[in-house]
Structures are given as structure tokens and as C-alpha cells.
Amino acid sequence: MTIRSITGTFILLLAMASQPVTAGNLDLLLSGIFPDQQATYIGYESVEREDIPTTSHIERKYLVVDFRFRSDSAGDQLQASVHKVCMALLKDRELIQSLSDSGYDMVSVAFDRQSQYDCL
């Protein structure tokens, strides 16, 4: 890579980071949360809770955002990592409104296949 292409890439990343995040670029927000490569963003999944009756006033959908730690020792920072993801989501009011309008009443974070941690 030349210095010109590195500088161009850096400017592009700064421009993207300064734009408000919407539901359309949820992947962009989540993939940039751990720039130090502590964890890798895998994706998100919409889950519909079957245990809540369809006639209930409670929403049945929630979103799970999925990450994997790069190393086993990163699990020691689990609480801080969950907090980092949740705060990134909560700070984006447009995203939260969009998720709410789409019927989501909860977002959970997962760093493995066994556990989910609720954000909102």
C-alpha cells in the first residue's frame, strides 16, 4: 500500500464515522466497535419469541448482535465488552428509533453460542 492509498482509506473511514448510523448500516456500526481487533463482529439475527402470545401487547421480536473474541483471554473483559457494544447502540438514537419502529423491544449481545446479554 502506498501512503496515498493509506491516507485515502483513513479519510474515508473518518467520513463514514462522522455520519449518523441508521438501521441500513447496522453492520458498519457494529463492525467498527472493536478497532483493536479484540472481538470480531459476526452479524445479527432477528429472533421472534414464541413464548409470548401474538395477542399480547409486548413485542415478540428482539435482535441478537453476535461477536467472537479473538483470544480466550479476552473473555476476562466480557462485562466491559458488552458495555461497549450496548453503549454504541444506545448512543445512536436514530438507530434505536428505527429498531423500535420495526417492532424490536430488545437487543442482546452474544460473544459465544451459550450466552446472551441484554442491552435494551
Side-chain angles (χ1 to χ4, degrees):
M1 260 190 171
T2 66
I3 291 180
R4 173 179 261 168
S5 65
I6 292 172
T7 303
T9 303
F10 181 71
I11 291 171
L12 178 62
L13 288 173
L14 282 177
M16 290 187 318
S18 65
Q19 297 174 353
V21 177
T22 62
N25 58 6
L26 179 62
D27 287 326
L28 182 62
L29 169 70
L30 296 174
S31 63
I33 290 177
F34 295 101
D36 57 357
Q37 303 302 318
Q38 175 190 5
T40 301
Y41 171 65
I42 304 296
Y44 64 90
E45 179 180 359
S46 178
V47 178
E48 188 165 341
R49 295 185 53 192
E50 300 293 328
D51 60 324
I52 299 175
T54 55
T55 57
S56 173
H57 69 280
I58 298 172
E59 295 291 345
R60 296 173 45 140
K61 289 191 328 184
Y62 71 97
L63 195 69
V64 178
V65 294
D66 199 14
F67 292 84
R68 292 295 179 269
F69 287 119
R70 294 263 183 187
S71 67
D72 292 335
S73 63
D76 297 338
Q77 297 294 321
L78 180 62
Q79 184 175 358
S81 298
V82 170
H83 179 75
K84 188 172 189 175
V85 173
C86 291
M87 290 309 298
L89 292 167
L90 287 170
K91 286 180 181 178
D92 192 321
R93 292 181 184 209
E94 185 179 335
L95 174 62
I96 296 301
Q97 186 62 52
S98 177
L99 289 172
S100 181
D101 292 346
S102 297
Y104 292 97
D105 67 344
M106 185 173 64
V107 176
S108 295
V109 180
F111 284 92
D112 58 37
R113 292 183 174 264
Q114 291 78 31
S115 305
Q116 294 177 4
Y117 304 91
D118 297 343
C119 287
L120 48 128

